Structure formats: C-alpha cells, structure tokens
Amino acid sequence: MVFDSAGGPVSTLAEAVRRQSWRRARIALVIVVLVLLTGFLTGPRVGAVVELLTPPRLPPELPVTAQVWSGDQNWTVDQAARFHFESQGTRTLPIPLPWLLALEEPLDSPFAILFGKRGRFVDNRYLLRFGFISAEPSQHNPYGLPVGFAVSPYQTIDGLSRKETAVGLTCAACHTGQVVFGGKRYVIDGGPAATDLGQLTAALGAALGQTALSEKIPLFDGRFDRFARAVLKAEYSDITRNQLAQELDAVLKTVAAQPNGIAVTEGFTRLDALNRIGNQVFALDTKRYGNYADINAPVNYPHIWTASWFDWVQYDGSIMQPLTRNAGEAMGVSANVIFNAAPKAGQFASSIPFDNLHWIEKQLAGTTPPALGKAFVGLVAPGWPKDFPAIDAAKAAAGAALYEKHCSGCHRPALTREIAQGKAPDAAFWTYFKTIRWLENDVQKETANAYLDLKIIAQKEIGTDPAQGDILANRQVDTAGTPLARSGAYSPGLGLNADICLVGRNGLETVRIKDSAMLSYAKALGAVVQMSIDEWFRGSPATPGERIALEGDRPNCLQAGGGYKARPLDGVWATAPFLHNGSVPTLYDLLSPVAERPKAFLLGDPRFDPVRVGLATRAVEPRGQTYDDQGYFILDTSTPGNRNTGHEFSNSKGSGVIGPALSPDERNAIIEFLKTI
C-alpha cells in the first residue's frame, strides 16, 4: 500500500500510472538527448569530433600461456626490472597519474557514452593490444603498468596550473622486444618494441574526450562521475567535481590546439623518432608551431645491445655521444625543457634526471671496455631459445662461409656469442675497434677507449628508402627572434649558443651554433641538448672526471646525410621487421630480390616464424586502408617512407644491389647461421 502526502492511501492503479509516466518521461528525455547528441556529433563543424571520440580498432588479444625472460643477455632480474621502469623525467601522456589510473577505456562509439561502461584504460587487457608487455606490480612498478611506463613527480602538464605526478615513456618502451612462439611470449631486453604509439594516442584522446562529453549530458554523466570519484576520492564534492571538469576541458583544449600532422602512418613496431623529437622540442615545447613537420619517416625501433660501443648510433649514423643521444630521446618523449628563463638562470634546464640516464647507459655498456677485455659485459644479444626448433649445425656452418663472403664487408666479421663472451680474444672482429679523434679549439683530442668503427653506406649505394636519412640532412627550424611592433626591436630567440662537433673537411671539428631563422635541425638539436646538459652540470657536484664518465668519454659530434650504418648482426633474428623502416617482414624476404618481397603485409601480431625468421605475417592488398578490419596495420611499401627497396641480392644492376642473387638454399643457410649469433 502507498500513502499520499496527507497519509491517505493511493491506489495501485494510480501508482502504476505515475511509474509509467516517469518511464515515458525518461524515454522521452533519452530521445531528446540522443537527438541533441546526434545533431552535435554530425554537425558540419564537428565532423572531426566524431573521429576524435571514436577509438581505433585494435587487434584481438593474443592468448599466451607464459611470459619468458631468458636471462642470457648479461642482465640480472633486478637490472632488467629497473631498466623497464627507470624514469627519464617525461610526461608523455598529457594527463596526471591519478587521471590515467581512473580513466575508463573508450567505448566503441561516442553515442554509447549514455549507458556504456568499460574497464580501466591502464588494464593489461587493454594496453597489451597496443603491443605493450605486461608486468607485475613491484618496487620499480608500483602501479602494475606495462613495461615502458614510468612515473615522474612534480611535472608541468600543459593546461594545468600546478605541478602533478606525470606518466611518461622510458627507454624500455621503445627498446624491449617480444616474440611469441608456441603460445609463449619471449621478452627481449634491448630489442625493438612492437607498440603502436599513434594508436595509443588516438585511444587516449577518445577516452578523455568521451569522459569530458559525458559531463555535459545531464542525468547521463555516469562516465565522468565515475572518473571524478576515482580521482577525487574523499575530496569529491560538487565544487571539486566541477573544478575537475574545467581542468579536463583545459587539458583537452591545449592538446587540441597543437599540430599533429601525419603524412606516413607509423603503425605497429615503428616510430618516426627524429621528426617527433624535432616537433616536440622546436614546435610544441617552444610554441613555435611553424617548426612542426608532418610525420613522414617511420623506422623500426632499433635494437640497442652492444650499441654503447659503436662510434656512431642511429640508423643514419648521426650521433656519437651517449648522453646526447639519451637526453635527446628523453626530450622527444616530452621531458620538460625551460626556454624562457635567462641564461645561466635556468634557461635550458630540464626535467631530465641525468643520473638515471647514466645508470641506463652503464647497464647497456657494462663496466669494462670491450676492446680492453675482449668481451662485452653489458647487454648482449639474446640467444636462440631452446624451445625453438633446433639449429641445423651443418647448414649453419655453410651459412657462416656465405656470411663471410657476402655480409662481413659491411656488417664486420660476425659477432658470435663466443666473441661476445670473451672466448675468442684473437678474433678479427676486435681489429675494427679504434679511438675517436676530434679537433676542439685547435687542439687535437682523442678518446681513452676504442669503439667499433662501423661502416656507413651512402644512401645511393644501399638503395633503401631515403626518408629517414633526409631528416637531419634537409630539415630546418627557426630559432631566431622576430620583429616586434616598434621599429628595431625583436623578441628573443631561443638563445642557442653552444659548441658542438661536426664532420668537416678535416675530420671532426668543433663549431659554435647560434640562433638562426633557417638553422639546420641537426645543429639546432645538438645545441639544445648540449646546453641542457651544461645547465645540469652547472648545478651538479660532478667533478670534471665524473663529467667525462657521464658523457661517455666522447664529444657531442653529429653528422647528417652520411647514409645508413651497417651494424653487427648479433641477435638480428629477434629484431623483425627488417630494413631501417621495417618494410621487410622476414630475413628470407630480405635476402630475396626486391621483386619477391611482399608489397604489403600486416604489422601488429608478434607471432614468430622460425623458418623464414621474422614475423609470421601474411601479404595483403592495401585497398586504400591503413589498418585492416581487425586493427592490424597494413604496411604498404609503395608509399614513400615505406619503400622496401635496396640491400638487394640480385643479378640485376643498379642502386641498392649489394651482392649476387642467392639461391633458396643459400638464403636458408645464411639464416641458419644468423640464428647462432
């Protein structure tokens, strides 16, 4: 029985009528909201909004029965665990840590935000579909995030007026690989990541946008309310909830105002690192959006074992000093650099913890120079797993002879596991180590240690896609001041004033770099990184000897347009896809003539092919698509930036042909040998 306000009974019929009327009112309200939402999302001015609020389709979860860490790369469990989560002082994700932990993954359609609910964005079930590797909560990973995420306190986040704990990517985010075989995931320290950061960015934007839109729909704001309660916890109130909504809008507005053009999609396993670094430092951080260059030269994430002892690193052999390399990389994933302070008063100070970078480099390099100890004691290549098909010893021996004949001239004598482990001190490999000499203020200097002298092959000779090599050779940035309204006055430039080392007519020479309206990107980046390093040392108690150690006993030398470097092929079996831009799925394809290589294939599935050695992928027809209906990336090699030409064994003549055609048996023999090193 139901009673009215005066205490009298109300008939059950009247009660039913009221309930029915309320249901009809709610249905009508839902219809009105849907009509308004549909009108908003399909209006001519907001067509792009729908795309931004719609998350990317992702590959299905890949079931694995175990995750295997081999432990045969010279690292302990603790070294690997710390490397996976060591902070570089970055805020790659543009929101505070509490927001990320509270955020729900996006719904498939923005129209579903009225009723839909999903799990957390950071749950492994979701993030692993972007190619990340799961990790358990630990001392180094208190929030149980996947490999490659680090937490950095007291960071500046654009759109917020206070310091916050931020989430950024680590060195391991790009340099921890995985291969899946027999239902097991094998983790490869220092290997190329399988991630798609472009899709991660799109999904994060959709999740944040759907959350912000939910707050603006009365009675259907459940998504935002759950987010607010998880972020604010005991501080939740109407006032704090409203403030959080305003802050979310401010962050989204700031991000939306930034340029983000893409000419060539990166996809899984690839990143246009050089252009991204230039965009972050000279366009986004400085608010000089005219310096932005569309992403157009993706490369396969490089593997980094033994690279600490190369004379030049990067695919284009453009950087020499490890601290410069690592600091530039940290800036590229959004370490904060101060450009608007006075010289020697905080200008070029950064959020980069240089001690952390030095720790990372020490783990990679080891404690003893390899040329001295005739062994690599830092991170080394992974061995062929014992659970994989057994190596054919006779075929591998035949492949060793073929490697010596066709490969060693560029990639140097094979760096076998015996050599790396110090069991072959008289091997010819060690004769390729040399000290580095350069000229500084007319004084000849020389490194104390010797480094592996890598061969850098001109692009016209190797014939591979030129896009990545063209970046440092051709890109320019504006760091100069600009005229103000009153005559003769100028706004300040970035304040570049640094000595860096360049390849000149007489070898390596030190050159002073200053602001210019058309400054070589390579020189500008070298100067910014050098001045940031100098600013850190200015406030550091490091002695001159300690500074030499932190800088790796090498000058900040750069070169642009030299070609592509040929590094040793130890562990190459674990680094697919191949060529610098990841345009060839297997070693067998790489050793085949270009005409026999797949014209287009899928990326995003880390399952391993132990016969052809590389990705167990399949050739497809692009049909104008960037991703297929299951969310796998379609790498179309007809697109500039994705070309699969060059490094060709063929009987034809021309650019990119580096050796004679190999028979199928010869290709398989070389592959069998490469499994052993």
Side-chain angles (χ1 to χ4, degrees), residues 269-532:
T269 79
R270 307 195 311 162
L271 194 76
D272 185 356
L274 283 179
N275 269 328
R276 278 181 175 261
I277 293 171
N279 290 340
Q280 187 66 49
V281 174
F282 296 107
L284 305 184
D285 288 349
T286 61
K287 303 297 187 292
R288 292 173 173 241
Y289 294 155
N291 282 333
Y292 188 90
D294 287 354
I295 299 301
N296 67 2
V299 297
N300 183 34
Y301 295 105
H303 50 293
I304 58 174
W305 48 77
T306 65
S308 296
W309 298 102
F310 297 167
D311 56 354
W312 294 98
V313 294
Q314 306 288 26
Y315 282 113
D316 59 351
S318 56
I319 299 177
M320 177 174 287
Q321 189 195 93
L323 191 60
T324 299
R325 175 215 326 142
N326 297 338
E329 178 266 321
M331 291 178 185
V333 287
S334 198
N336 188 31
V337 181
I338 304 300
F339 289 97
N340 55 5
K344 297 186 179 181
Q347 187 183 35
F348 295 102
S350 76
S351 62
I352 300 171
F354 285 94
D355 285 333
N356 288 11
L357 298 192
H358 183 51
W359 181 88
I360 291 171
E361 192 63 30
K362 284 197 300 182
Q363 311 317 302
L364 295 171
T367 55
T368 304
L372 183 64
K374 297 297 187 290
F376 286 92
V377 297
L379 186 69
V380 296
W384 184 258
K386 65 179 184 301
D387 293 336
F388 281 25
I391 296 172
D392 184 323
K395 187 185 293 184
L402 289 167
Y403 176 95
E404 178 64 26
K405 180 178 180 180
H406 298 295
C407 308
S408 63
C410 293
H411 294 284
R412 304 310 189 204
L415 176 50
T416 64
R417 295 188 68 78
E418 290 73 21
I419 293 173
Q421 293 169 356
K423 299 176 181 178
D426 297 324
F429 174 82
W430 298 114
T431 65
Y432 288 87
F433 278 75
K434 300 177 181 178
T435 58
I436 297 170
R437 298 180 180 182
W438 73 100
L439 196 64
E440 184 175 313
N441 298 324
D442 295 325
V443 176
Q444 185 74 46
K445 295 195 171 185
E446 183 176 7
T447 58
N449 295 315
Y451 300 89
L452 183 59
D453 179 24
L454 297 181
K455 184 172 182 178
I456 296 178
I457 306 170
Q459 198 279 324
K460 289 183 178 179
E461 180 182 348
I462 194 63
T464 51
D465 191 289
Q468 202 258 0
D470 285 345
I471 296 173
L472 293 183
N474 299 330
R475 184 174 174 180
Q476 296 180 324
V477 293
D478 179 5
T479 69
T482 56
L484 299 176
R486 59 184 185 276
S487 177
Y490 285 81
S491 68
L494 293 188
L496 301 186
N497 187 18
D499 289 335
I500 64 172
C501 169
L502 300 174
V503 176
R505 293 181 179 178
N506 299 315
L508 299 176
E509 302 174 327
T510 301
V511 177
R512 176 61 57 92
I513 305 300
K514 293 189 175 184
D515 285 326
S516 172
M518 296 181 68
L519 183 59
S520 157
Y521 163 43
K523 296 177 182 178
L525 182 61
V528 167
V529 174
Q530 185 62 58
M531 296 184 75
S532 183

Side-chain angles (χ1 to χ4, degrees), residues 96-99 152-157 160 162-166 247:
L97 172 66
W99 292 20
S152 299
Y154 305 110
Q155 296 294 313
T156 299
I157 294 179
L160 299 181
R162 63 183 182 279
K163 299 288 186 180
E164 279 280 4
T165 298
E247 290 179 343

Side-chain angles (χ1 to χ4, degrees), residues 645-676:
T645 54
H647 194 279
E648 182 176 10
F649 291 93
S650 168
N651 291 329
S652 62
K653 296 181 180 180
S655 174
V657 176
I658 60 172
L662 301 171
S663 70
D665 285 345
E666 289 175 319
R667 299 174 211 175
N668 286 323
I670 292 174
I671 290 170
E672 205 71 9
F673 170 67
L674 293 176
K675 295 176 184 179
T676 70

Side-chain angles (χ1 to χ4, degrees), residues 629-652:
D629 294 339
Q630 286 191 295
Y632 294 106
F633 175 64
I634 302 172
L635 196 152
D636 180 0
T637 65
S638 68
T639 301
N642 292 344
R643 305 287 193 195
N644 67 353
T645 54
H647 194 279
E648 182 176 10
F649 291 93
S650 168
N651 291 329
S652 62

Side-chain angles (χ1 to χ4, degrees), residues 28-383:
L29 182 59
V30 170
I31 293 173
V32 169
V33 170
L34 282 173
V35 169
L36 292 174
L37 183 61
T38 302
F40 170 73
L41 292 177
T42 58
R45 293 185 178 181
V46 291
V49 172
V50 177
E51 183 177 352
L52 292 173
L53 294 178
T54 302
R57 187 184 301 275
L58 299 172
E61 293 182 67
L62 186 62
V64 295
T65 59
Q67 186 161 294
V68 180
W69 180 77
S70 67
D72 68 348
Q73 294 185 254
N74 273 358
W75 276 3
T76 65
V77 172
D78 190 66
Q79 277 179 296
R82 182 175 171 184
F83 171 76
H84 292 164
F85 302 102
E86 188 76 343
S87 173
Q88 299 180 116
T90 62
R91 65 270 162 85
T92 318
L93 306 187
I95 57 174
L97 172 66
W99 292 20
L100 180 66
L101 297 178
L103 188 66
E104 294 175 7
E105 68 179 80
L107 297 157
D108 293 338
S109 167
F111 296 100
I113 63 174
L114 298 179
F115 311 106
K117 181 180 179 181
R118 288 279 177 83
R120 295 194 312 157
F121 191 92
V122 295
D123 287 346
N124 277 331
R125 184 189 61 78
Y126 189 58
L127 281 185
L128 266 59
R129 295 172 68 190
F130 295 95
F132 289 101
I133 300 169
S134 65
E136 296 297 323
S138 68
Q139 169 193 352
H140 303 296
N141 182 30
Y143 301 99
L145 299 174
V147 170
F149 288 87
V151 173
S152 299
Y154 305 110
Q155 296 294 313
T156 299
I157 294 179
D158 290 340
L160 299 181
S161 58
R162 63 183 182 279
K163 299 288 186 180
E164 279 280 4
T165 298
V167 181
L169 296 181
T170 72
C171 183
C174 299
H175 304 296
T176 304
Q178 59 173 303
V179 296
V180 174
F181 180 74
K184 297 179 181 180
R185 175 179 285 112
Y186 296 80
V187 178
I188 311 294
D189 284 317
T195 54
D196 189 329
L197 297 187
Q199 295 293 70
L200 176 69
T201 300
L204 181 61
L208 292 170
Q210 290 182 12
T211 304
L213 182 60
S214 164
E215 188 271 334
K216 296 168 176 55
I217 307 175
L219 301 181
F220 298 95
D221 58 353
R223 181 184 177 93
F224 179 80
D225 194 62
R226 293 189 297 273
F227 172 74
R229 290 180 185 277
V231 170
L232 299 170
K233 296 183 171 58
E235 301 300 318
Y236 179 91
S237 68
D238 288 345
I239 293 176
T240 57
R241 183 185 189 277
N242 184 58
Q243 181 181 0
L244 179 62
Q246 292 175 0
E247 290 179 343
L248 177 56
D249 286 345
V251 168
L252 288 173
K253 183 178 180 180
T254 300
V255 173
Q258 297 174 340
N260 60 356
I262 297 174
V264 180
T265 302
E266 295 158 317
F268 288 94
T269 79
R270 307 195 311 162
L271 194 76
D272 185 356
L274 283 179
N275 269 328
R276 278 181 175 261
I277 293 171
N279 290 340
Q280 187 66 49
V281 174
F282 296 107
L284 305 184
D285 288 349
T286 61
K287 303 297 187 292
R288 292 173 173 241
Y289 294 155
N291 282 333
Y292 188 90
D294 287 354
I295 299 301
N296 67 2
V299 297
N300 183 34
Y301 295 105
H303 50 293
I304 58 174
W305 48 77
T306 65
S308 296
W309 298 102
F310 297 167
D311 56 354
W312 294 98
V313 294
Q314 306 288 26
Y315 282 113
D316 59 351
S318 56
I319 299 177
M320 177 174 287
Q321 189 195 93
L323 191 60
T324 299
R325 175 215 326 142
N326 297 338
E329 178 266 321
M331 291 178 185
V333 287
S334 198
N336 188 31
V337 181
I338 304 300
F339 289 97
N340 55 5
K344 297 186 179 181
Q347 187 183 35
F348 295 102
S350 76
S351 62
I352 300 171
F354 285 94
D355 285 333
N356 288 11
L357 298 192
H358 183 51
W359 181 88
I360 291 171
E361 192 63 30
K362 284 197 300 182
Q363 311 317 302
L364 295 171
T367 55
T368 304
L372 183 64
K374 297 297 187 290
F376 286 92
V377 297
L379 186 69
V380 296

